[in-house]
Structures are given as C-alpha cells and as structure tokens.
mmCIF file of all heavy atoms in Angstrom:
data_model
loop_
_atom_site.group_PDB
_atom_site.id
_atom_site.type_symbol
_atom_site.label_atom_id
_atom_site.label_comp_id
_atom_site.label_asym_id
_atom_site.label_seq_id
_atom_site.Cartn_x
_atom_site.Cartn_y
_atom_site.Cartn_z
ATOM 1 N N MET X 18 233.003 24.570 58.207
ATOM 2 C CA MET X 18 232.400 23.260 58.454
ATOM 3 C C MET X 18 231.245 22.988 57.495
ATOM 4 O O MET X 18 230.977 21.832 57.150
ATOM 5 C CB MET X 18 231.936 23.143 59.900
ATOM 6 C CG MET X 18 233.066 23.065 60.923
ATOM 7 S SD MET X 18 234.405 21.898 60.532
ATOM 8 C CE MET X 18 233.564 20.334 60.488
ATOM 9 N N THR X 19 230.571 24.028 57.037
ATOM 10 C CA THR X 19 229.556 23.836 56.000
ATOM 11 C C THR X 19 230.207 23.372 54.705
ATOM 12 O O THR X 19 229.690 22.487 54.013
ATOM 13 C CB THR X 19 228.765 25.137 55.772
ATOM 14 O OG1 THR X 19 228.053 25.469 56.964
ATOM 15 C CG2 THR X 19 227.774 24.975 54.622
ATOM 16 N N ALA X 20 231.371 23.974 54.373
ATOM 17 C CA ALA X 20 232.099 23.546 53.176
ATOM 18 C C ALA X 20 232.498 22.076 53.279
ATOM 19 O O ALA X 20 232.398 21.313 52.311
ATOM 20 C CB ALA X 20 233.334 24.422 52.972
ATOM 21 N N MET X 21 232.949 21.664 54.472
ATOM 22 C CA MET X 21 233.342 20.271 54.680
ATOM 23 C C MET X 21 232.139 19.347 54.593
ATOM 24 O O MET X 21 232.198 18.274 53.972
ATOM 25 C CB MET X 21 234.021 20.136 56.052
ATOM 26 C CG MET X 21 234.528 18.733 56.375
ATOM 27 S SD MET X 21 235.932 18.188 55.367
ATOM 28 C CE MET X 21 235.122 17.019 54.272
ATOM 29 N N ALA X 22 231.041 19.733 55.220
ATOM 30 C CA ALA X 22 229.840 18.897 55.209
ATOM 31 C C ALA X 22 229.262 18.770 53.796
ATOM 32 O O ALA X 22 228.818 17.690 53.392
ATOM 33 C CB ALA X 22 228.795 19.487 56.152
ATOM 34 N N LYS X 23 229.284 19.863 53.053
ATOM 35 C CA LYS X 23 228.792 19.823 51.675
ATOM 36 C C LYS X 23 229.652 18.872 50.837
ATOM 37 O O LYS X 23 229.131 18.103 50.014
ATOM 38 C CB LYS X 23 228.815 21.232 51.074
ATOM 39 C CG LYS X 23 228.170 21.341 49.699
ATOM 40 C CD LYS X 23 228.151 22.788 49.237
ATOM 41 C CE LYS X 23 227.334 22.942 47.962
ATOM 42 N NZ LYS X 23 227.801 22.093 46.848
ATOM 43 N N TYR X 24 230.952 18.898 51.053
ATOM 44 C CA TYR X 24 231.861 18.002 50.335
ATOM 45 C C TYR X 24 231.563 16.551 50.716
ATOM 46 O O TYR X 24 231.579 15.656 49.859
ATOM 47 C CB TYR X 24 233.308 18.356 50.677
ATOM 48 C CG TYR X 24 234.348 17.604 49.882
ATOM 49 C CD1 TYR X 24 234.821 18.103 48.674
ATOM 50 C CD2 TYR X 24 234.864 16.390 50.339
ATOM 51 C CE1 TYR X 24 235.784 17.423 47.941
ATOM 52 C CE2 TYR X 24 235.825 15.695 49.624
ATOM 53 C CZ TYR X 24 236.278 16.213 48.422
ATOM 54 O OH TYR X 24 237.226 15.523 47.692
ATOM 55 N N ALA X 25 231.280 16.321 51.997
ATOM 56 C CA ALA X 25 230.971 14.960 52.458
ATOM 57 C C ALA X 25 229.714 14.420 51.794
ATOM 58 O O ALA X 25 229.654 13.241 51.409
ATOM 59 C CB ALA X 25 230.802 14.956 53.977
ATOM 60 N N VAL X 26 228.726 15.285 51.632
ATOM 61 C CA VAL X 26 227.461 14.862 51.035
ATOM 62 C C VAL X 26 227.564 14.754 49.515
ATOM 63 O O VAL X 26 227.188 13.731 48.919
ATOM 64 C CB VAL X 26 226.328 15.844 51.419
ATOM 65 C CG1 VAL X 26 225.048 15.503 50.660
ATOM 66 C CG2 VAL X 26 226.076 15.812 52.919
ATOM 67 N N ASP X 27 228.084 15.774 48.873
ATOM 68 C CA ASP X 27 228.069 15.841 47.404
ATOM 69 C C ASP X 27 229.169 15.019 46.742
ATOM 70 O O ASP X 27 228.943 14.413 45.689
ATOM 71 C CB ASP X 27 228.206 17.295 46.939
ATOM 72 C CG ASP X 27 227.041 18.161 47.367
ATOM 73 O OD1 ASP X 27 226.009 17.601 47.788
ATOM 74 O OD2 ASP X 27 227.162 19.396 47.300
ATOM 75 N N THR X 28 230.353 15.000 47.339
ATOM 76 C CA THR X 28 231.499 14.337 46.706
ATOM 77 C C THR X 28 231.773 12.966 47.307
ATOM 78 O O THR X 28 231.968 11.989 46.579
ATOM 79 C CB THR X 28 232.756 15.221 46.826
ATOM 80 O OG1 THR X 28 232.490 16.502 46.243
ATOM 81 C CG2 THR X 28 233.943 14.580 46.120
ATOM 82 N N LEU X 29 231.793 12.892 48.648
ATOM 83 C CA LEU X 29 232.086 11.616 49.298
ATOM 84 C C LEU X 29 230.862 10.713 49.387
ATOM 85 O O LEU X 29 231.005 9.506 49.635
ATOM 86 C CB LEU X 29 232.649 11.859 50.699
ATOM 87 C CG LEU X 29 233.945 12.691 50.761
ATOM 88 C CD1 LEU X 29 234.369 12.932 52.209
ATOM 89 C CD2 LEU X 29 235.060 12.005 49.980
ATOM 90 N N LYS X 30 229.667 11.292 49.219
ATOM 91 C CA LYS X 30 228.403 10.538 49.184
ATOM 92 C C LYS X 30 228.158 9.728 50.461
ATOM 93 O O LYS X 30 227.699 8.592 50.420
ATOM 94 C CB LYS X 30 228.376 9.588 47.980
ATOM 95 C CG LYS X 30 228.682 10.224 46.632
ATOM 96 C CD LYS X 30 227.624 11.225 46.211
ATOM 97 C CE LYS X 30 227.901 11.774 44.809
ATOM 98 N NZ LYS X 30 226.937 12.843 44.422
ATOM 99 N N VAL X 31 228.481 10.321 51.625
ATOM 100 C CA VAL X 31 228.245 9.607 52.878
ATOM 101 C C VAL X 31 226.746 9.480 53.130
ATOM 102 O O VAL X 31 225.962 10.360 52.770
ATOM 103 C CB VAL X 31 228.942 10.305 54.065
ATOM 104 C CG1 VAL X 31 230.440 10.389 53.836
ATOM 105 C CG2 VAL X 31 228.367 11.690 54.317
ATOM 106 N N LYS X 32 226.361 8.385 53.781
ATOM 107 C CA LYS X 32 224.945 8.106 54.030
ATOM 108 C C LYS X 32 224.634 7.886 55.502
ATOM 109 O O LYS X 32 223.493 8.075 55.936
ATOM 110 C CB LYS X 32 224.507 6.862 53.237
ATOM 111 C CG LYS X 32 224.690 6.965 51.732
ATOM 112 C CD LYS X 32 223.833 8.058 51.122
ATOM 113 C CE LYS X 32 223.991 8.130 49.605
ATOM 114 N NZ LYS X 32 223.257 9.289 49.027
ATOM 115 N N LYS X 33 225.647 7.470 56.267
ATOM 116 C CA LYS X 33 225.404 7.046 57.651
ATOM 117 C C LYS X 33 226.636 7.408 58.483
ATOM 118 O O LYS X 33 227.686 6.786 58.347
ATOM 119 C CB LYS X 33 225.154 5.545 57.671
ATOM 120 C CG LYS X 33 224.678 4.976 58.981
ATOM 121 C CD LYS X 33 224.403 3.476 58.809
ATOM 122 C CE LYS X 33 223.957 2.852 60.115
ATOM 123 N NZ LYS X 33 223.729 1.390 59.965
ATOM 124 N N CYS X 34 226.506 8.409 59.334
ATOM 125 C CA CYS X 34 227.686 8.969 59.994
ATOM 126 C C CYS X 34 227.591 8.893 61.519
ATOM 127 O O CYS X 34 226.530 9.141 62.104
ATOM 128 C CB CYS X 34 227.859 10.415 59.569
ATOM 129 S SG CYS X 34 229.529 11.055 59.813
ATOM 130 N N PHE X 35 228.710 8.539 62.147
ATOM 131 C CA PHE X 35 228.858 8.531 63.598
ATOM 132 C C PHE X 35 229.654 9.771 63.977
ATOM 133 O O PHE X 35 230.746 10.008 63.455
ATOM 134 C CB PHE X 35 229.608 7.270 64.036
ATOM 135 C CG PHE X 35 229.616 7.020 65.516
ATOM 136 C CD1 PHE X 35 228.869 6.002 66.068
ATOM 137 C CD2 PHE X 35 230.396 7.804 66.369
ATOM 138 C CE1 PHE X 35 228.877 5.764 67.442
ATOM 139 C CE2 PHE X 35 230.408 7.578 67.738
ATOM 140 C CZ PHE X 35 229.632 6.549 68.273
ATOM 141 N N SER X 36 229.122 10.585 64.906
ATOM 142 C CA SER X 36 229.775 11.841 65.305
ATOM 143 C C SER X 36 230.292 11.753 66.733
ATOM 144 O O SER X 36 229.596 11.265 67.632
ATOM 145 C CB SER X 36 228.780 13.000 65.191
ATOM 146 O OG SER X 36 229.327 14.184 65.730
ATOM 147 N N LEU X 37 231.523 12.250 66.942
ATOM 148 C CA LEU X 37 232.139 12.245 68.266
ATOM 149 C C LEU X 37 232.873 13.567 68.478
ATOM 150 O O LEU X 37 233.638 13.999 67.604
ATOM 151 C CB LEU X 37 233.111 11.071 68.390
ATOM 152 C CG LEU X 37 233.790 10.853 69.740
ATOM 153 C CD1 LEU X 37 232.764 10.581 70.836
ATOM 154 C CD2 LEU X 37 234.787 9.693 69.656
ATOM 155 N N VAL X 38 232.679 14.203 69.647
ATOM 156 C CA VAL X 38 233.238 15.526 69.918
ATOM 157 C C VAL X 38 233.725 15.592 71.366
ATOM 158 O O VAL X 38 233.250 14.831 72.220
ATOM 159 C CB VAL X 38 232.169 16.625 69.668
ATOM 160 C CG1 VAL X 38 230.997 16.473 70.618
ATOM 161 C CG2 VAL X 38 232.753 18.035 69.790
ATOM 162 N N ILE X 39 234.680 16.474 71.648
ATOM 163 C CA ILE X 39 235.005 16.748 73.049
ATOM 164 C C ILE X 39 233.976 17.754 73.573
ATOM 165 O O ILE X 39 233.648 18.729 72.913
ATOM 166 C CB ILE X 39 236.444 17.267 73.257
ATOM 167 C CG1 ILE X 39 236.723 18.540 72.446
ATOM 168 C CG2 ILE X 39 237.460 16.184 72.953
ATOM 169 C CD1 ILE X 39 238.031 19.221 72.831
ATOM 170 N N ARG X 40 233.484 17.484 74.768
ATOM 171 C CA ARG X 40 232.395 18.305 75.301
ATOM 172 C C ARG X 40 232.857 19.449 76.198
ATOM 173 O O ARG X 40 232.023 20.184 76.752
ATOM 174 C CB ARG X 40 231.391 17.440 76.061
ATOM 175 C CG ARG X 40 231.949 16.659 77.241
ATOM 176 C CD ARG X 40 230.850 15.870 77.932
ATOM 177 N NE ARG X 40 231.342 15.012 78.991
ATOM 178 C CZ ARG X 40 231.697 13.738 78.821
ATOM 179 N NH1 ARG X 40 231.619 13.188 77.610
ATOM 180 N NH2 ARG X 40 232.130 13.011 79.832
ATOM 181 N N ASP X 41 234.184 19.605 76.341
ATOM 182 C CA ASP X 41 234.693 20.665 77.217
ATOM 183 C C ASP X 41 235.399 21.768 76.436
ATOM 184 O O ASP X 41 236.271 22.454 76.967
ATOM 185 C CB ASP X 41 235.608 20.099 78.301
ATOM 186 C CG ASP X 41 236.684 19.146 77.776
ATOM 187 O OD1 ASP X 41 236.600 18.751 76.598
ATOM 188 O OD2 ASP X 41 237.583 18.782 78.558
ATOM 189 N N ASN X 42 235.020 21.942 75.171
ATOM 190 C CA ASN X 42 235.561 23.045 74.371
ATOM 191 C C ASN X 42 234.467 23.552 73.438
ATOM 192 O O ASN X 42 233.997 22.822 72.561
ATOM 193 C CB ASN X 42 236.780 22.586 73.568
ATOM 194 C CG ASN X 42 237.446 23.735 72.824
ATOM 195 O OD1 ASN X 42 236.847 24.361 71.961
ATOM 196 N ND2 ASN X 42 238.697 24.011 73.153
ATOM 197 N N GLU X 43 234.050 24.802 73.659
ATOM 198 C CA GLU X 43 232.936 25.382 72.910
ATOM 199 C C GLU X 43 233.194 25.398 71.407
ATOM 200 O O GLU X 43 232.294 25.146 70.603
ATOM 201 C CB GLU X 43 232.687 26.815 73.405
ATOM 202 C CG GLU X 43 231.588 27.557 72.669
ATOM 203 C CD GLU X 43 230.206 26.998 72.915
ATOM 204 O OE1 GLU X 43 229.976 26.424 73.989
ATOM 205 O OE2 GLU X 43 229.351 27.152 72.020
ATOM 206 N N GLY X 44 234.435 25.690 71.009
ATOM 207 C CA GLY X 44 234.752 25.766 69.584
ATOM 208 C C GLY X 44 234.600 24.428 68.885
ATOM 209 O O GLY X 44 234.065 24.349 67.770
ATOM 210 N N TYR X 45 235.042 23.354 69.520
ATOM 211 C CA TYR X 45 234.929 22.025 68.937
ATOM 212 C C TYR X 45 233.463 21.604 68.838
ATOM 213 O O TYR X 45 233.040 20.972 67.870
ATOM 214 C CB TYR X 45 235.714 21.009 69.781
ATOM 215 C CG TYR X 45 237.211 21.076 69.599
ATOM 216 C CD1 TYR X 45 237.970 22.050 70.240
ATOM 217 C CD2 TYR X 45 237.873 20.164 68.793
ATOM 218 C CE1 TYR X 45 239.347 22.118 70.082
ATOM 219 C CE2 TYR X 45 239.260 20.217 68.634
ATOM 220 C CZ TYR X 45 239.984 21.196 69.277
ATOM 221 O OH TYR X 45 241.341 21.256 69.118
ATOM 222 N N ILE X 46 232.676 21.956 69.857
ATOM 223 C CA ILE X 46 231.248 21.630 69.858
ATOM 224 C C ILE X 46 230.545 22.357 68.711
ATOM 225 O O ILE X 46 229.709 21.785 68.004
ATOM 226 C CB ILE X 46 230.613 22.002 71.207
ATOM 227 C CG1 ILE X 46 231.178 21.118 72.317
ATOM 228 C CG2 ILE X 46 229.097 21.863 71.146
ATOM 229 C CD1 ILE X 46 230.804 21.567 73.721
ATOM 230 N N LEU X 47 230.883 23.616 68.521
ATOM 231 C CA LEU X 47 230.257 24.403 67.456
ATOM 232 C C LEU X 47 230.573 23.810 66.080
ATOM 233 O O LEU X 47 229.686 23.701 65.221
ATOM 234 C CB LEU X 47 230.724 25.850 67.532
ATOM 235 C CG LEU X 47 230.144 26.801 66.485
ATOM 236 C CD1 LEU X 47 228.628 26.855 66.578
ATOM 237 C CD2 LEU X 47 230.738 28.195 66.643
ATOM 238 N N GLN X 48 231.829 23.425 65.855
ATOM 239 C CA GLN X 48 232.208 22.814 64.575
ATOM 240 C C GLN X 48 231.401 21.550 64.319
ATOM 241 O O GLN X 48 230.906 21.315 63.224
ATOM 242 C CB GLN X 48 233.700 22.490 64.563
ATOM 243 C CG GLN X 48 234.597 23.709 64.531
ATOM 244 C CD GLN X 48 236.058 23.346 64.353
ATOM 245 O OE1 GLN X 48 236.440 22.768 63.340
ATOM 246 N NE2 GLN X 48 236.869 23.684 65.326
ATOM 247 N N LYS X 49 231.268 20.734 65.383
ATOM 248 C CA LYS X 49 230.490 19.501 65.265
ATOM 249 C C LYS X 49 229.040 19.789 64.914
ATOM 250 O O LYS X 49 228.453 19.143 64.041
ATOM 251 C CB LYS X 49 230.579 18.722 66.590
ATOM 252 C CG LYS X 49 229.840 17.381 66.600
ATOM 253 C CD LYS X 49 228.367 17.455 66.992
ATOM 254 C CE LYS X 49 228.167 18.004 68.381
ATOM 255 N NZ LYS X 49 226.703 17.949 68.752
ATOM 256 N N GLN X 50 228.458 20.782 65.589
ATOM 257 C CA GLN X 50 227.041 21.058 65.400
ATOM 258 C C GLN X 50 226.735 21.526 63.980
ATOM 259 O O GLN X 50 225.731 21.118 63.383
ATOM 260 C CB GLN X 50 226.560 22.098 66.408
ATOM 261 C CG GLN X 50 225.048 22.099 66.606
ATOM 262 C CD GLN X 50 224.529 20.754 67.064
ATOM 263 O OE1 GLN X 50 225.027 20.187 68.039
ATOM 264 N NE2 GLN X 50 223.556 20.211 66.356
ATOM 265 N N VAL X 51 227.602 22.371 63.444
ATOM 266 C CA VAL X 51 227.411 22.845 62.062
ATOM 267 C C VAL X 51 227.464 21.662 61.097
ATOM 268 O O VAL X 51 226.617 21.531 60.198
ATOM 269 C CB VAL X 51 228.475 23.900 61.686
ATOM 270 C CG1 VAL X 51 228.400 24.233 60.193
ATOM 271 C CG2 VAL X 51 228.300 25.161 62.516
ATOM 272 N N PHE X 52 228.451 20.788 61.289
ATOM 273 C CA PHE X 52 228.620 19.623 60.410
ATOM 274 C C PHE X 52 227.423 18.681 60.513
ATOM 275 O O PHE X 52 226.837 18.289 59.492
ATOM 276 C CB PHE X 52 229.902 18.882 60.784
ATOM 277 C CG PHE X 52 230.246 17.740 59.874
ATOM 278 C CD1 PHE X 52 230.925 17.953 58.689
ATOM 279 C CD2 PHE X 52 229.882 16.437 60.204
ATOM 280 C CE1 PHE X 52 231.235 16.895 57.836
ATOM 281 C CE2 PHE X 52 230.185 15.377 59.367
ATOM 282 C CZ PHE X 52 230.870 15.608 58.184
ATOM 283 N N VAL X 53 227.036 18.334 61.733
ATOM 284 C CA VAL X 53 225.938 17.388 61.949
ATOM 285 C C VAL X 53 224.616 17.945 61.422
ATOM 286 O O VAL X 53 223.825 17.225 60.792
ATOM 287 C CB VAL X 53 225.834 17.024 63.444
ATOM 288 C CG1 VAL X 53 224.513 16.324 63.756
ATOM 289 C CG2 VAL X 53 226.999 16.128 63.853
ATOM 290 N N ASP X 54 224.357 19.216 61.677
ATOM 291 C CA ASP X 54 223.105 19.826 61.204
ATOM 292 C C ASP X 54 223.015 19.779 59.686
ATOM 293 O O ASP X 54 221.936 19.506 59.130
ATOM 294 C CB ASP X 54 223.006 21.272 61.685
ATOM 295 C CG ASP X 54 222.683 21.376 63.168
ATOM 296 O OD1 ASP X 54 222.326 20.348 63.782
ATOM 297 O OD2 ASP X 54 222.794 22.496 63.719
ATOM 298 N N TYR X 55 224.128 20.051 59.014
ATOM 299 C CA TYR X 55 224.109 20.013 57.548
ATOM 300 C C TYR X 55 223.810 18.601 57.059
ATOM 301 O O TYR X 55 223.009 18.411 56.128
ATOM 302 C CB TYR X 55 225.435 20.506 56.979
ATOM 303 C CG TYR X 55 225.415 20.667 55.467
ATOM 304 C CD1 TYR X 55 225.142 21.908 54.898
ATOM 305 C CD2 TYR X 55 225.646 19.588 54.610
ATOM 306 C CE1 TYR X 55 225.098 22.063 53.514
ATOM 307 C CE2 TYR X 55 225.615 19.733 53.234
ATOM 308 C CZ TYR X 55 225.337 20.971 52.693
ATOM 309 O OH TYR X 55 225.286 21.115 51.324
ATOM 310 N N LEU X 56 224.439 17.599 57.673
ATOM 311 C CA LEU X 56 224.186 16.214 57.264
ATOM 312 C C LEU X 56 222.717 15.871 57.422
ATOM 313 O O LEU X 56 222.092 15.311 56.505
ATOM 314 C CB LEU X 56 225.036 15.244 58.096
ATOM 315 C CG LEU X 56 226.557 15.287 57.948
ATOM 316 C CD1 LEU X 56 227.175 14.069 58.635
ATOM 317 C CD2 LEU X 56 226.995 15.328 56.498
ATOM 318 N N LYS X 57 222.152 16.176 58.576
ATOM 319 C CA LYS X 57 220.749 15.844 58.843
ATOM 320 C C LYS X 57 219.816 16.547 57.861
ATOM 321 O O LYS X 57 218.826 15.964 57.402
ATOM 322 C CB LYS X 57 220.392 16.235 60.278
ATOM 323 C CG LYS X 57 221.022 15.360 61.347
ATOM 324 C CD LYS X 57 220.621 15.840 62.742
ATOM 325 C CE LYS X 57 221.192 14.946 63.833
ATOM 326 N NZ LYS X 57 220.828 15.440 65.198
ATOM 327 N N ASN X 58 220.127 17.799 57.554
ATOM 328 C CA ASN X 58 219.275 18.578 56.639
ATOM 329 C C ASN X 58 219.411 18.146 55.190
ATOM 330 O O ASN X 58 218.641 18.604 54.335
ATOM 331 C CB ASN X 58 219.603 20.066 56.764
ATOM 332 C CG ASN X 58 219.205 20.642 58.108
ATOM 333 O OD1 ASN X 58 218.309 20.132 58.773
ATOM 334 N ND2 ASN X 58 219.865 21.709 58.521
ATOM 335 N N ASN X 59 220.409 17.286 54.916
ATOM 336 C CA ASN X 59 220.630 16.837 53.548
ATOM 337 C C ASN X 59 220.566 15.321 53.409
ATOM 338 O O ASN X 59 221.201 14.728 52.545
ATOM 339 C CB ASN X 59 221.971 17.364 53.037
ATOM 340 C CG ASN X 59 221.939 18.851 52.738
ATOM 341 O OD1 ASN X 59 221.574 19.275 51.647
ATOM 342 N ND2 ASN X 59 222.282 19.660 53.745
ATOM 343 N N GLY X 60 219.762 14.708 54.266
ATOM 344 C CA GLY X 60 219.413 13.310 54.102
ATOM 345 C C GLY X 60 220.389 12.279 54.613
ATOM 346 O O GLY X 60 220.224 11.079 54.360
#
C-alpha cells in the first residue's frame, strides 16, 4: 500500500482524496490506514 500511495502522489499527482473502507475486516482497514497516512504525510 505504500508502493500504491507513492505512485498516487508521485505519478498520478493526486491532491484531494476521498477514502472509503469496510469497517468489519481488519485487513482492509490496515490497507486503508497505510494508504491514507502516506497521503497525509505527503501533502
């Protein structure tokens, strides 16, 4: 998910993202959190 988030920031140049996750599966939540944290930490 860090690789995906880095690609989103560096290559896709996203600036404003809406995040949606299922809240009843720990694995899906973890993937979301890694992605969202990277976006926030990179502007």
